[in-house]
Coordinates of all heavy atoms in Angstrom, one line a residue:
Q27 N 112.4 171.4 113.0 CA 112.4 172.2 111.7 C 112.5 171.2 110.6 O 113.2 170.1 110.7 CB 113.5 173.2 111.6 CG 114.8 172.9 112.4 CD 115.7 174.1 112.3 OE1 116.5 174.1 111.4 NE2 115.9 175.0 113.3
Y28 N 112.1 171.6 109.4 CA 112.3 170.8 108.1 C 113.0 171.7 107.1 O 112.7 172.8 107.0 CB 111.0 170.4 107.4 CG 109.9 170.1 108.4 CD1 109.0 171.2 109.0 CD2 109.7 168.8 108.7 CE1 108.0 170.8 109.8 CE2 108.6 168.5 109.6 CZ 107.8 169.5 110.1 OH 106.8 169.2 111.1
V29 N 114.0 171.1 106.5 CA 114.7 171.8 105.4 C 114.5 171.3 104.1 O 114.5 170.1 104.0 CB 116.3 171.8 105.8 CG1 117.0 172.6 104.8 CG2 116.5 172.4 107.2
G30 N 114.3 172.1 103.1 CA 114.1 171.6 101.7 C 114.4 172.8 100.7 O 115.3 173.6 101.1
N31 N 113.9 172.7 99.5 CA 114.1 173.8 98.6 C 112.8 174.4 98.2 O 111.7 173.7 98.3 CB 114.7 173.2 97.3 CG 116.3 173.1 97.5 OD1 116.8 173.7 98.3 ND2 116.8 172.2 96.7
W32 N 112.7 175.7 97.9 CA 111.6 176.3 97.3 C 111.3 175.7 96.0 O 112.2 175.2 95.2 CB 111.8 177.8 97.1 CG 111.9 178.4 98.5 CD1 113.0 178.7 99.2 CD2 110.8 178.9 99.3 NE1 112.7 179.3 100.4 CE2 111.3 179.5 100.6 CE3 109.4 179.0 99.2 CZ2 110.6 180.1 101.5 CZ3 108.6 179.5 100.2 CH2 109.2 179.9 101.3
P33 N 110.0 175.5 95.6 CA 109.7 174.7 94.3 C 110.4 175.3 93.1 O 110.4 176.5 93.0 CB 108.2 174.9 94.2 CG 107.6 175.4 95.6 CD 108.9 175.9 96.3
G34 N 111.1 174.4 92.5 CA 111.6 174.7 91.1 C 113.0 175.4 91.2 O 113.6 175.8 90.2
V35 N 113.5 175.8 92.4 CA 114.7 176.6 92.5 C 115.6 176.0 93.6 O 115.0 175.2 94.5 CB 114.6 178.0 92.8 CG1 114.0 178.8 91.7 CG2 113.6 178.2 94.0
T36 N 116.9 176.2 93.6 CA 117.9 175.6 94.6 C 118.1 176.7 95.7 O 119.2 176.8 96.1 CB 119.1 175.2 94.0 OG1 119.6 176.2 93.3 CG2 119.0 174.0 93.1
V37 N 117.0 177.3 96.1 CA 117.1 178.3 97.3 C 116.5 177.4 98.5 O 115.4 176.9 98.4 CB 116.4 179.5 97.0 CG1 116.3 180.4 98.2 CG2 116.8 180.2 95.7
E38 N 117.2 177.5 99.6 CA 116.8 176.7 100.8 C 115.6 177.2 101.4 O 115.3 178.4 101.4 CB 118.1 176.7 101.7 CG 117.8 175.7 102.9 CD 119.0 175.7 103.8 OE1 119.1 176.7 104.7 OE2 119.7 174.7 103.8
K39 N 114.7 176.2 101.7 CA 113.4 176.6 102.4 C 113.4 176.0 103.8 O 113.7 174.7 103.9 CB 112.3 176.0 101.6 CG 111.0 176.3 102.1 CD 109.8 175.7 101.3 CE 108.4 176.0 101.8 NZ 107.4 175.5 101.0
K40 N 113.2 176.7 104.8 CA 113.2 176.1 106.2 C 112.0 176.4 106.8 O 111.5 177.6 106.8 CB 114.4 176.7 107.0 CG 115.8 175.9 106.6 CD 116.9 176.3 107.7 CE 117.2 177.8 107.7 NZ 118.3 178.2 108.5
E41 N 111.3 175.5 107.5 CA 110.1 175.7 108.1 C 110.1 175.1 109.5 O 110.8 173.9 109.6 CB 109.0 175.0 107.3 CG 107.6 175.5 107.6 CD 106.5 174.9 106.8 OE1 106.8 174.2 105.7 OE2 105.4 175.1 107.1
G42 N 109.5 175.5 110.5 CA 109.5 174.8 111.8 C 108.4 175.2 112.6 O 107.5 176.0 112.2
K43 N 108.2 174.6 113.8 CA 107.1 175.0 114.6 C 107.7 175.9 115.7 O 108.7 175.5 116.3 CB 106.5 173.8 115.3 CG 105.8 172.8 114.2 CD 104.3 173.3 114.1 CE 103.6 172.4 113.0 NZ 102.9 173.0 112.0
L44 N 106.9 176.9 116.2 CA 107.3 177.7 117.2 C 107.2 176.9 118.5 O 106.3 176.2 118.8 CB 106.4 178.9 117.4 CG 106.6 180.0 118.5 CD1 107.9 180.6 118.4 CD2 105.5 181.0 118.5
K45 N 108.4 176.9 119.3 CA 108.6 176.1 120.5 C 107.3 176.4 121.4 O 106.9 177.5 121.7 CB 109.8 176.6 121.2 CG 111.1 175.8 120.9 CD 112.2 176.2 121.9 CE 113.5 176.2 121.3 NZ 114.5 176.9 122.1
G46 N 106.8 175.2 121.8 CA 105.6 175.3 122.8 C 104.3 175.7 122.0 O 103.2 176.0 122.8
H47 N 104.3 175.9 120.8 CA 103.1 176.2 119.9 C 103.0 175.3 118.8 O 103.4 175.7 117.7 CB 103.1 177.7 119.5 CG 103.1 178.6 120.5 ND1 102.0 179.5 120.9 CD2 104.1 179.1 121.3 CE1 102.4 180.3 121.9 NE2 103.7 180.1 122.1
K48 N 102.2 174.2 118.9 CA 102.1 173.3 117.8 C 101.5 173.9 116.6 O 101.6 173.3 115.5 CB 101.4 171.9 118.2 CG 102.2 170.9 119.2 CD 101.6 169.6 119.1 CE 102.3 168.7 120.1 NZ 101.7 168.8 121.4
D49 N 100.6 174.8 117.0 CA 99.8 175.4 115.8 C 100.4 176.7 115.2 O 99.8 177.3 114.4 CB 98.4 175.7 116.3 CG 98.5 176.8 117.6 OD1 99.6 176.8 118.2 OD2 97.5 177.4 118.0
V50 N 101.6 177.0 115.5 CA 102.2 178.1 114.9 C 103.5 177.7 114.1 O 104.5 177.3 114.7 CB 102.7 179.2 115.9 CG1 103.4 180.4 115.3 CG2 101.5 179.7 116.8
A51 N 103.4 177.9 112.8 CA 104.5 177.6 111.9 C 105.4 178.7 111.7 O 104.8 179.9 111.6 CB 104.0 177.0 110.5
I52 N 106.7 178.5 111.7 CA 107.7 179.7 111.4 C 108.3 179.3 110.1 O 108.8 178.2 109.8 CB 108.7 179.7 112.4 CG1 108.2 179.9 113.9 CG2 109.6 180.9 112.1 CD1 107.6 181.2 114.2
M53 N 108.1 180.3 109.1 CA 108.7 180.1 107.7 C 109.8 181.0 107.6 O 109.7 182.2 107.6 CB 107.6 180.4 106.7 CG 108.0 180.3 105.3 SD 108.3 178.5 104.9 CE 106.8 177.9 104.7
D54 N 111.0 180.4 107.3 CA 112.2 181.3 107.2 C 112.4 181.7 105.7 O 112.5 180.7 104.8 CB 113.5 180.4 107.6 CG 114.7 181.2 107.7 OD1 114.7 182.5 107.9 OD2 115.8 180.6 107.6
L55 N 112.4 182.9 105.3 CA 112.6 183.3 104.0 C 114.0 183.6 103.6 O 114.8 183.9 104.5 CB 111.7 184.5 103.7 CG 110.2 184.5 104.0 CD1 109.5 185.7 103.6 CD2 109.6 183.3 103.1
P56 N 114.3 183.7 102.3 CA 115.8 183.8 102.0 C 116.2 185.3 102.4 O 115.2 186.2 102.4 CB 115.8 183.7 100.6 CG 114.6 183.0 100.1 CD 113.6 183.1 101.2
G57 N 117.4 185.5 102.8 CA 117.8 186.9 103.0 C 117.8 187.8 102.0 O 118.4 187.3 100.9
I58 N 117.3 188.9 102.1 CA 117.1 189.8 100.9 C 117.3 191.3 101.4 O 117.1 191.6 102.5 CB 115.8 189.7 100.2 CG1 114.5 189.6 101.2 CG2 115.6 188.4 99.3 CD1 113.2 189.7 100.7
Y59 N 117.6 192.1 100.4 CA 117.9 193.5 100.6 C 116.5 194.3 100.2 O 116.4 195.5 100.6 CB 119.0 194.2 99.9 CG 120.3 193.5 100.5 CD1 121.1 192.6 99.7 CD2 120.7 193.9 101.7 CE1 122.2 192.1 100.2 CE2 121.9 193.4 102.3 CZ 122.6 192.5 101.5 OH 123.8 191.9 102.1
S60 N 115.8 193.7 99.3 CA 114.6 194.5 98.7 C 113.5 193.4 98.3 O 113.9 192.3 98.1 CB 115.2 195.3 97.6 OG 114.1 195.7 96.7
L61 N 112.3 193.9 97.9 CA 111.3 193.0 97.3 C 111.3 193.4 95.8 O 110.3 193.4 95.1 CB 110.0 193.2 97.9 CG 109.8 192.8 99.4 CD1 108.4 193.2 100.0 CD2 110.0 191.3 99.6
S62 N 112.5 193.7 95.2 CA 112.5 194.0 93.8 C 112.6 192.6 93.0 O 112.8 191.6 93.7 CB 113.7 194.9 93.5 OG 114.8 194.4 94.1
P63 N 112.6 192.6 91.7 CA 112.7 191.3 90.9 C 114.0 190.9 90.5 O 114.1 190.1 89.5 CB 111.7 191.6 89.7 CG 112.0 193.0 89.5 CD 112.4 193.7 90.8
Y64 N 115.1 191.3 91.1 CA 116.5 191.2 90.5 C 117.2 190.0 91.0 O 118.1 189.6 90.3 CB 117.3 192.4 90.8 CG 116.7 193.6 90.2 CD1 116.3 194.8 91.0 CD2 116.3 193.7 88.9 CE1 115.7 195.9 90.4 CE2 115.8 194.8 88.4 CZ 115.5 195.8 89.1 OH 114.8 197.0 88.5
T65 N 116.8 189.4 92.0 CA 117.5 188.1 92.5 C 116.6 187.0 92.7 O 115.3 187.3 92.9 CB 118.4 188.2 93.8 OG1 117.5 188.4 94.8 CG2 119.4 189.4 93.7
L66 N 117.0 185.7 92.6 CA 116.1 184.6 92.8 C 115.6 184.6 94.2 O 114.3 184.4 94.4 CB 116.9 183.3 92.5 CG 116.2 182.0 92.4 CD1 115.3 182.2 91.1 CD2 117.3 180.9 92.1
E67 N 116.4 185.1 95.2 CA 116.0 185.1 96.5 C 114.8 186.1 96.7 O 113.9 185.9 97.4 CB 117.3 185.4 97.4 CG 118.1 184.4 97.7 CD 119.0 184.1 96.5 OE1 119.0 185.0 95.5 OE2 119.9 183.1 96.5
E68 N 114.9 187.3 96.0 CA 114.0 188.3 96.2 C 112.6 187.8 95.6 O 111.5 188.0 96.2 CB 114.3 189.5 95.5 CG 115.4 190.3 96.1 CD 116.0 191.5 95.3 OE1 115.7 191.6 94.0 OE2 116.8 192.2 95.9
V69 N 112.7 187.1 94.5 CA 111.5 186.6 93.8 C 110.8 185.6 94.6 O 109.6 185.6 94.9 CB 111.8 186.2 92.4 CG1 110.6 185.5 91.7 CG2 112.4 187.3 91.6
V70 N 111.6 184.6 95.2 CA 111.1 183.6 96.0 C 110.4 184.2 97.3 O 109.2 183.8 97.6 CB 112.3 182.6 96.5 CG1 111.8 181.8 97.7 CG2 112.6 181.7 95.4
A71 N 111.1 185.1 97.8 CA 110.6 185.7 99.1 C 109.3 186.5 98.7 O 108.3 186.3 99.5 CB 111.5 186.7 99.8
R72 N 109.2 187.2 97.7 CA 107.9 188.0 97.5 C 106.9 187.2 97.1 O 105.7 187.4 97.3 CB 108.3 189.2 96.8 CG 108.6 189.0 95.3 CD 108.8 190.3 94.7 NE 108.5 190.3 93.2 CZ 108.5 191.3 92.4 NH1 108.8 192.4 92.9 NH2 108.2 191.2 91.3
N73 N 107.2 186.1 96.2 CA 106.1 185.2 95.7 C 105.4 184.6 96.8 O 104.2 184.5 96.9 CB 106.7 184.1 94.7 CG 107.0 184.8 93.4 OD1 106.7 186.0 93.1 ND2 107.6 183.9 92.5
Y74 N 106.3 184.2 97.8 CA 105.7 183.6 99.0 C 104.8 184.6 99.8 O 103.7 184.3 100.2 CB 106.8 183.0 100.0 CG 106.2 182.5 101.2 CD1 105.6 181.3 101.3 CD2 106.2 183.3 102.4 CE1 105.0 180.9 102.5 CE2 105.6 182.9 103.5 CZ 105.0 181.6 103.6 OH 104.4 181.1 104.7
L75 N 105.4 185.8 100.1 CA 104.6 186.7 100.9 C 103.3 187.2 100.1 O 102.3 187.3 100.9 CB 105.5 188.0 101.1 CG 106.7 187.7 101.9 CD1 107.6 188.9 102.0 CD2 106.2 187.4 103.5
I76 N 103.2 187.3 98.8 CA 102.1 187.8 98.1 C 101.2 186.6 98.0 O 100.0 186.6 98.1 CB 102.5 188.4 96.8 CG1 103.4 189.7 97.0 CG2 101.1 188.8 96.0 CD1 104.1 190.1 95.8
G77 N 101.8 185.4 97.4 CA 101.0 184.4 97.0 C 100.4 183.5 98.2 O 99.3 183.2 98.2
E78 N 101.2 183.3 99.2 CA 100.8 182.5 100.4 C 100.2 183.3 101.5 O 99.5 182.8 102.4 CB 101.9 181.6 100.9 CG 102.6 180.8 99.9 CD 101.7 179.7 99.2 OE1 100.8 179.1 100.1 OE2 101.7 179.5 98.1
H79 N 100.6 184.6 101.5 CA 100.0 185.5 102.4 C 100.1 185.0 103.9 O 99.0 184.5 104.5 CB 98.5 185.9 102.2 CG 98.2 187.2 102.7 ND1 97.6 187.3 104.0 CD2 98.2 188.5 102.1 CE1 97.4 188.6 104.2 NE2 97.7 189.3 103.1
P80 N 101.3 184.9 104.5 CA 101.3 184.5 106.0 C 100.5 185.3 106.9 O 100.2 186.4 106.4 CB 102.9 184.5 106.2 CG 103.4 185.6 105.2 CD 102.6 185.4 103.9
D81 N 100.2 184.7 108.1 CA 99.4 185.5 109.0 C 100.2 186.8 109.6 O 99.5 187.7 110.0 CB 98.9 184.6 110.0 CG 98.2 183.5 109.4 OD1 97.0 183.7 108.9 OD2 98.6 182.3 109.4
A82 N 101.5 186.7 109.6 CA 102.3 187.8 110.2 C 103.7 187.7 109.6 O 104.1 186.5 109.3 CB 102.2 187.9 111.7
I83 N 104.4 188.7 109.7 CA 105.8 188.8 109.3 C 106.6 189.2 110.5 O 106.2 190.2 111.2 CB 106.1 189.6 108.2 CG1 105.3 189.2 106.9 CG2 107.7 189.7 107.8 CD1 105.3 190.3 105.8
I84 N 107.7 188.6 110.9 CA 108.7 189.2 111.8 C 109.8 189.7 110.9 O 110.4 188.9 110.2 CB 109.2 188.3 112.8 CG1 108.1 187.7 113.8 CG2 110.4 188.8 113.7 CD1 108.6 186.8 114.9
N85 N 109.9 191.0 110.8 CA 111.0 191.6 110.0 C 112.3 192.0 110.9 O 112.2 192.7 111.8 CB 110.5 192.9 109.3 CG 111.6 193.6 108.5 OD1 111.4 194.8 108.3 ND2 112.6 193.0 108.2
I86 N 113.3 191.0 110.7 CA 114.4 191.2 111.5 C 115.4 192.2 111.0 O 115.6 192.3 109.7 CB 115.3 189.9 111.6 CG1 114.3 188.7 112.2 CG2 116.5 189.9 112.6 CD1 114.2 187.6 111.3
I87 N 115.7 193.2 111.8 CA 116.6 194.2 111.4 C 117.8 194.2 112.3 O 117.9 194.0 113.4 CB 115.8 195.7 111.7 CG1 114.5 195.7 111.0 CG2 116.7 196.8 111.3 CD1 113.7 196.8 111.4
D88 N 118.9 194.4 111.5 CA 120.3 194.4 112.2 C 120.3 195.8 112.8 O 120.5 196.8 112.0 CB 121.3 194.1 111.2 CG 122.8 194.2 111.8 OD1 122.8 194.8 113.0 OD2 123.7 194.0 111.2
G89 N 120.3 195.9 114.1 CA 120.4 197.2 114.8 C 121.6 197.9 114.7 O 121.6 199.1 114.8
T90 N 122.7 197.2 114.2 CA 124.0 197.8 114.0 C 124.1 198.5 112.5 O 125.0 199.1 112.2 CB 125.1 197.0 114.2 OG1 125.1 196.0 113.2 CG2 125.1 196.2 115.6
N91 N 123.0 198.1 111.8 CA 123.0 198.7 110.4 C 121.6 199.0 110.1 O 121.0 198.6 109.1 CB 123.3 197.4 109.5 CG 124.7 197.5 109.0 OD1 125.1 198.5 108.5 ND2 125.4 196.4 109.2
L92 N 121.0 199.9 110.9 CA 119.6 200.2 110.9 C 119.2 200.8 109.4 O 118.3 200.4 108.9 CB 119.2 201.3 111.9 CG 118.0 201.4 112.5 CD1 117.4 200.0 113.0 CD2 117.9 202.4 113.7
E93 N 120.1 201.8 109.0 CA 119.7 202.5 107.8 C 119.6 201.5 106.6 O 118.7 201.6 105.9 CB 120.8 203.5 107.6 CG 120.4 204.5 106.6 CD 121.7 205.5 106.5 OE1 122.2 205.9 107.6 OE2 121.9 205.8 105.3
R94 N 120.6 200.6 106.5 CA 120.6 199.7 105.3 C 119.4 198.7 105.4 O 118.7 198.4 104.5 CB 121.9 199.0 105.2 CG 122.0 198.3 103.9 CD 123.2 197.4 103.8 NE 123.2 196.3 104.9 CZ 124.2 195.6 105.1 NH1 125.3 195.8 104.7 NH2 124.1 194.6 106.0
N95 N 119.1 198.3 106.6 CA 118.1 197.3 106.7 C 116.6 197.8 106.7 O 115.7 197.1 106.2 CB 118.2 196.6 108.2 CG 119.3 195.5 108.3 OD1 119.0 194.4 108.5 ND2 120.5 195.9 108.0
L96 N 116.5 199.1 106.9 CA 115.1 199.7 106.8 C 114.6 199.8 105.4 O 113.5 199.9 105.1 CB 115.1 201.0 107.4 CG 115.0 201.0 108.9 CD1 115.1 202.5 109.5 CD2 113.8 200.5 109.5
Y97 N 115.5 199.7 104.3 CA 115.0 199.7 103.0 C 114.0 198.6 102.6 O 112.9 198.8 102.1 CB 116.2 199.7 102.1 CG 115.8 199.9 100.6 CD1 115.5 201.2 100.3 CD2 115.6 198.9 99.7 CE1 115.1 201.5 98.9 CE2 115.2 199.1 98.3 CZ 114.9 200.5 98.0 OH 114.5 200.8 96.8
L98 N 114.3 197.3 103.1 CA 113.5 196.2 102.9 C 112.2 196.5 103.8 O 111.0 196.3 103.3 CB 114.2 194.9 103.4 CG 113.2 193.7 103.4 CD1 112.8 193.4 102.1 CD2 114.0 192.5 104.0
S99 N 112.3 197.0 105.0 CA 111.2 197.3 105.9 C 110.1 198.2 105.3 O 108.9 197.9 105.3 CB 111.7 197.8 107.2 OG 112.6 197.1 107.7
T100 N 110.6 199.3 104.5 CA 109.6 200.1 103.9 C 108.8 199.4 102.9 O 107.7 199.8 102.6 CB 110.4 201.5 103.2 OG1 111.1 200.8 102.1 CG2 111.3 202.1 104.2
Q101 N 109.2 198.3 102.3 CA 108.4 197.5 101.3 C 107.5 196.6 102.0 O 106.4 196.3 101.7 CB 109.4 196.9 100.4 CG 110.1 197.9 99.6 CD 111.1 197.2 98.6 OE1 110.8 196.5 97.7 NE2 112.4 197.5 98.9
I102 N 108.2 195.9 103.2 CA 107.4 195.0 103.8 C 106.1 195.5 104.5 O 105.0 194.9 104.6 CB 108.4 194.3 104.9 CG1 109.3 193.2 104.2 CG2 107.5 193.6 106.0 CD1 110.2 192.5 105.1
I103 N 106.1 196.8 104.9 CA 105.0 197.3 105.6 C 103.9 197.7 104.5 O 102.7 198.0 105.0 CB 105.3 198.6 106.4 CG1 106.1 199.7 105.7 CG2 106.1 198.1 107.7 CD1 106.4 200.9 106.4
E104 N 104.3 197.6 103.3 CA 103.2 197.8 102.2 C 102.4 196.7 101.8 O 101.6 196.7 100.9 CB 103.9 198.5 101.0 CG 104.4 200.0 101.3 CD 105.4 200.4 100.4 OE1 105.8 199.7 99.5 OE2 105.8 201.6 100.4
L105 N 102.8 195.5 102.4 CA 102.3 194.2 101.8 C 100.9 193.9 102.3 O 100.2 193.0 101.8 CB 103.2 193.0 102.2 CG 104.3 192.9 101.5 CD1 105.4 191.9 102.1 CD2 104.2 192.4 100.1
G106 N 100.3 194.7 103.3 CA 99.0 194.3 103.8 C 99.0 193.2 104.7 O 97.9 192.5 104.9
I107 N 100.2 192.8 105.3 CA 100.3 191.8 106.3 C 100.6 192.3 107.7 O 101.6 193.2 107.7 CB 101.3 190.7 105.7 CG1 100.9 190.1 104.5 CG2 101.6 189.6 106.8 CD1 102.0 189.3 103.7
P108 N 100.2 191.8 108.8 CA 100.7 192.3 110.1 C 102.2 192.1 110.2 O 102.6 191.0 109.8 CB 99.8 191.3 111.1 CG 98.7 191.0 110.4 CD 99.0 190.8 108.9
V109 N 102.8 193.1 110.7 CA 104.3 193.0 110.9 C 104.7 193.4 112.3 O 104.2 194.3 112.8 CB 105.0 194.0 109.9 CG1 106.5 194.0 110.0 CG2 104.7 193.7 108.4
V110 N 105.7 192.6 112.8 CA 106.5 193.0 113.9 C 107.9 193.2 113.6 O 108.5 192.2 113.0 CB 106.2 191.9 115.1 CG1 107.2 192.3 116.3 CG2 104.8 191.9 115.6
M111 N 108.5 194.3 113.9 CA 109.9 194.6 113.6 C 110.7 194.1 114.8 O 110.5 194.4 116.0 CB 110.3 196.0 113.4 CG 109.5 196.6 112.3 SD 110.2 196.2 110.6 CE 109.0 196.9 109.7
A112 N 111.7 193.3 114.6 CA 112.6 192.8 115.7 C 114.0 193.4 115.4 O 114.6 193.0 114.4 CB 112.7 191.3 115.6
V113 N 114.3 194.3 116.2 CA 115.7 195.0 116.0 C 116.7 194.1 116.8 O 116.8 194.0 118.0 CB 115.6 196.4 116.7 CG1 117.1 197.0 116.3 CG2 114.5 197.2 115.9
N114 N 117.5 193.4 116.0 CA 118.5 192.4 116.5 C 119.8 193.0 116.7 O 120.1 194.1 116.5 CB 118.5 191.2 115.5 CG 119.3 190.0 116.0 OD1 119.2 189.8 117.3 ND2 119.9 189.2 115.3

Side-chain angles (χ1 to χ4, degrees):
Q27 38 179 274
Y28 323 88
V29 182
N31 277 337
W32 291 92
V35 290
T36 52
V37 176
E38 191 178 74
K39 178 179 184 182
K40 281 194 294 184
E41 196 178 351
K43 294 271 181 229
L44 179 61
K45 275 188 208 166
H47 296 258
K48 283 203 188 88
D49 57 342
V50 180
I52 306 284
M53 180 64 76
D54 189 25
L55 299 181
I58 48 171
Y59 294 107
S60 166
L61 293 176
S62 55
Y64 300 122
T65 69
L66 200 53
E67 286 78 9
E68 286 170 352
V69 173
V70 163
R72 73 181 204 174
N73 284 355
Y74 173 78
L75 291 170
I76 298 165
E78 303 298 321
H79 205 273
D81 301 293
I83 300 170
I84 297 180
N85 175 202
I86 303 122
I87 301 172
D88 175 354
T90 67
N91 257 309
L92 206 52
E93 193 179 318
R94 191 184 64 191
N95 280 241
L96 283 173
Y97 189 74
L98 175 65
S99 307
T100 65
Q101 297 174 67
I102 283 182
I103 57 179
E104 287 163 357
L105 284 164
I107 299 171
V109 178
V110 171
M111 300 283 169
V113 183
N114 191 30

